[in-house]
Amino acid sequence: LSVLANILLTSVNVVLIVLILAERTTWGMSAADRETYSHFPTLTPGQFRRLRKIMQRSTTEETTELLREGQPVEDLMLILSPRINIEKEGKTYPISGPTFVGEIALLTGNKSSASVSLPKGGTVIKLPLRRLRARMSRSPALSNAIVALFGQELARKVADSAPMERALRRKTSS
């Protein structure tokens, strides 16, 4: 009986060690997944693997509008293109990628604040917002990691941005 108990305990420990390794290492990830994971530095490898199950990757065959200003946002997107076009209030601003779009809608529930288009040959990875929010609501650790990621991302975007006329008008009209 004690031999069976030792075998059971050893088996449980081995399973737990494997689960911990899977949660904390990129072991077993493909090169493409490791590259994608590098854009999610606040997530553990295990959290990324769980999100990977809902990711949809595609490459555009022609210029493609991903978001339209003022419209609901369906997906959080990681754009892996070297160039992305943002249109806001009728003005176009080219930005460089890789970058996330849809993160403000994820955090606030607001509609798209700009139109976003991806040139021919660009790659986009989509995470459906509804499914992402459901996973975040079930896992406070994942939710915290996502919020931390987009806090960093938004700070980077603000630091990289040039003042827009609307912000200048708002300040002068006060």
Side-chain angles (χ1 to χ4, degrees), residues 23 25 35 42 59 67 95 101-102 107 113 118 130 137 151 160:
E23 182 66 27
T25 68
E35 169 60 28
T42 60
T59 300
L67 294 175
I95 63 169
V101 296
L107 297 173
S113 60
L118 184 59
R130 187 174 352 158
S137 70
D160 289 350

Side-chain angles (χ1 to χ4, degrees), residues 27-120:
W27 174 69
M29 275 190 201
S30 68
D33 281 349
R34 280 194 302 278
E35 169 60 28
T36 303
Y37 173 63
S38 72
H39 298 285
F40 293 85
T42 60
L43 274 62
T44 67
Q47 290 169 329
F48 174 78
R49 280 187 185 92
R50 287 187 287 284
L51 287 185
R52 176 66 185 93
K53 293 175 184 176
I54 64 170
M55 290 180 183
Q56 304 156 348
R57 183 184 188 111
S58 61
T59 300
T60 59
E61 295 188 19
E62 58 188 44
T63 297
T64 304
E65 185 175 68
L66 300 174
L67 294 175
R68 182 171 292 225
E69 186 174 4
Q71 296 299 309
V73 178
E74 302 290 326
D75 301 293
L76 170 70
M77 292 173 254
L78 171 59
I79 301 175
L80 300 175
S81 176
R83 182 186 160 115
I84 301 117
N85 291 316
I86 306 290
E87 185 178 327
K88 191 168 180 109
E89 297 181 348
K91 293 188 179 180
T92 301
Y93 306 90
I95 63 169
S96 60
T99 192
F100 286 94
V101 296
E103 72 278 16
I104 294 172
L106 170 68
L107 297 173
T108 66
N110 292 344
K111 294 180 179 176
S112 181
S113 60
S115 296
V116 178
S117 62
L118 184 59
K120 176 182 177 180

Side-chain angles (χ1 to χ4, degrees), residues 10-24 27:
T10 300
S11 299
V12 167
N13 284 329
V14 168
V15 168
L16 290 174
I17 289 169
V18 168
L19 290 174
I20 290 169
L21 286 174
E23 182 66 27
R24 298 185 182 176
W27 174 69

